[in-house]
């Protein structure tokens, strides 16, 4: 699977989202009361070790360019990891992932606040429907710290996706990830020492498994978006919710109820409609360009900021 065609790119995203869900499963197998800060430290160290083979992609002439923003993003990311662990341990797998999918909606809101972007009618409908969908899934009567954790994780994903626009454009994904985890290493160590938990093999296995499978997910995403325009295949990302339902049912006997199905539809359906709308706009633009190739060469498909955000901040 090269990802050079739309079908192969979609297949890569479907496989990638399945791998991301396996990463969540490693976390969900942890027992309630597991040392979360120890997990965060292990996840940080393991990810840095996994990134070492990619050291050639780090710009050694400017290794700490944008350090202040990397520091902020890293610590937002750390909060997101901790929130995600609490959410996945306590909530059904599909419920937690449905709430995680509100991150793109939060990105829209934050883009309006910080960049003055305007929401289309469809985007505004997606925001309203998405937040209503959260209420339907979680329901105020069932609200808990785990639910707040899922929302906190989605908020962290959204904040990092917005802040990535301000990072140096020439930095590779490996460089960004390396600085991200390097910046939070001291706090992770301090929190783990403060937690004072004894070494846990279960936490170590969870950290290794989740790190490896998230890396595999990121590789699939990069390959999928390398040759194909993002808006042509990005809807395949939402198959992650289907995988969450299937894996939750097989491994944890979790059967989604009507509240979950209705709320998930309210979150995902408007996002899919936006993706289809962008695809139609792109196709019209492409047809216009092809009609003008007699005088101008058709532009090549490039890696967009949305691609970088997806690979850099889609999952914790």
């Amino acid at each position: 699977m090269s990802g050079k065609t739309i079908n192969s790119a979609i297949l890569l995203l479907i496989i990638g989202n399945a791998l991301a869900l396996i990463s969540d499963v490693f976390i969900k197998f942890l027992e309630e009361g597991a040392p979360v800060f120890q997990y965060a430290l292990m996840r940080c160290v393991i990810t840095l070790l996994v990134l070492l083979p990619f050291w050639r992609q780090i710009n050694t002439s400017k290794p700490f360019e944008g350090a202040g923003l990397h520091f902020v993003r890293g610590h937002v990311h750390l909060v997101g990891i901790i929130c995600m662990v609490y959410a996945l341990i306590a909530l059904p797998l599909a419920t937690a992932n449905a709430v995680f999918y509100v991150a793109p909606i939060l990105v829209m809101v934050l883009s309006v606040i910080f960049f003055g972007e305007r929401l289309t009618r469809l985007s505004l409908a997606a925001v309203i429907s998405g937040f209503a969908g959260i209420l339907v899934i979680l329901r105020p009567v069932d609200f808990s710290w785990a639910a707040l954790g899922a929302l906190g994780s989605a908020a962290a994903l959204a904040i990092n996706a917005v802040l990535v626009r301000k990072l140096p454009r020439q930095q590779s994904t490996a460089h960004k990830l390396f600085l991200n985890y390097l910046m939070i290493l001291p706090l992770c160590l301090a929190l783990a020492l403060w937690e004072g938990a004894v070494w846990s093999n279960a936490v170590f296995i969870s950290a290794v498994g989740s790190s490896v499978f998230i890396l595999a997910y990121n590789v699939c995403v990069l390959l999928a978006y390398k040759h194909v325009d993002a808006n042509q295949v990005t809807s395949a990302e939402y198959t992650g919710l289907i995988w969450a339902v299937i894996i939750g049912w097989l491994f944890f006997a979790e059967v989604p109820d009507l509240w979950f199905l209705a709320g998930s539809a309210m979150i995902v359906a408007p996002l899919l409609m936006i993706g289809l709308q962008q695809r139609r706009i792109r196709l019209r633009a492409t047809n216009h360009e092809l009609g003008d190739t007699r005088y101008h060469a058709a532009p090549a498909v490039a890696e967009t900021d949305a691609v970088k955000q997806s690979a850099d901040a889609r999952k914790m």
Side-chain angles (χ1 to χ4, degrees):
M1 287 179 294
S2 62
K4 293 183 178 180
T5 65
I6 292 177
N7 288 338
S8 64
I10 289 173
L11 184 57
L12 277 169
L13 288 177
I14 292 172
I15 294 172
N17 275 275
L19 296 173
L21 261 296
I22 295 174
S23 171
D24 290 349
V25 168
F26 274 97
I27 299 172
K28 185 146 186 72
F29 274 126
L30 292 174
E31 297 179 356
E32 287 195 36
V36 176
F37 296 145
Q38 184 182 110
Y39 170 87
L41 175 62
M42 291 182 183
R43 177 78 174 261
C44 182
V45 172
I46 291 166
T47 303
L48 286 172
L49 291 175
V50 169
L51 288 171
L52 282 179
F54 303 97
W55 67 271
R56 291 182 182 275
Q57 297 183 26
I58 296 175
N59 184 1
T60 53
S61 63
K62 297 179 180 179
F64 293 103
E65 187 178 7
L69 191 55
H70 280 296
F71 182 87
V72 173
R73 288 187 75 245
H75 287 80
V76 169
H77 182 71
L78 176 59
V79 172
I81 290 175
I82 293 170
C83 288
M84 178 188 67
V85 174
Y86 278 119
L88 286 172
I89 290 176
L91 293 176
L93 189 64
T95 299
N97 273 271
V99 179
F100 295 158
Y101 273 100
V102 82
I105 296 172
L106 294 175
V107 169
M108 295 181 202
V109 176
L110 292 174
S111 296
V112 171
I113 295 172
F114 293 107
F115 298 107
E117 295 183 3
R118 285 190 170 187
L119 292 179
T120 64
R121 290 181 180 179
L122 185 56
S123 297
L124 181 60
V127 171
I128 296 172
S129 179
F131 285 118
I134 293 173
L135 293 177
V136 170
I137 291 173
L138 298 179
R139 299 185 297 284
V141 293
D142 291 340
F143 222 70
S144 63
W145 285 109
L148 289 175
L151 289 171
S153 184
L157 284 168
I159 292 169
N160 272 352
V162 171
L163 290 179
V164 77
R165 302 185 190 183
K166 296 295 185 179
L167 292 177
R169 290 187 174 271
Q170 68 275 16
Q171 282 184 343
S172 66
T173 299
H175 193 157
K176 293 171 186 174
L177 288 172
F178 185 82
L179 286 178
N180 189 75
Y181 282 93
L182 186 65
M183 293 288 183
I184 64 174
L185 184 58
L187 182 57
C188 285
L189 179 59
L191 289 173
L193 291 174
W194 174 79
E195 190 176 41
V198 297
W199 173 271
S200 170
N201 289 330
V203 172
F204 176 72
I205 293 171
S206 175
V208 171
S210 60
S211 298
V212 169
F213 279 94
I214 278 297
L215 176 63
Y217 161 79
N218 285 330
V219 170
C220 288
V221 168
L222 288 172
L223 289 174
Y225 288 132
K226 187 174 183 179
H227 300 287
V228 177
D229 221 10
N231 57 38
Q232 292 182 301
V233 296
T234 192
S235 58
E237 291 271 13
Y238 300 108
T239 58
L241 197 54
I242 298 174
W243 285 117
V245 172
I246 294 172
I247 293 174
W249 175 60
L250 290 176
F251 288 92
F252 305 102
E254 297 170 352
V255 180
D257 56 18
L258 290 177
W259 292 102
F260 167 81
L261 296 176
S264 297
M266 293 170 71
I267 294 172
V268 174
L271 296 174
L272 288 173
M273 292 172 66
I274 290 173
L276 291 173
Q277 183 186 61
Q278 291 174 343
R279 183 176 180 180
R280 285 196 296 269
I281 293 172
R282 175 62 180 172
L283 286 174
R284 284 199 296 267
T286 301
N287 290 336
H288 175 74
E289 290 161 1
L290 289 174
D292 201 30
T293 52
R294 183 175 180 180
Y295 302 103
H296 304 285
V301 175
E303 181 177 323
T304 63
D305 287 340
V307 174
K308 295 176 183 177
Q309 290 176 16
S310 181
D312 198 33
R314 162 68 176 79
K315 278 279 189 177
M316 294 294 179

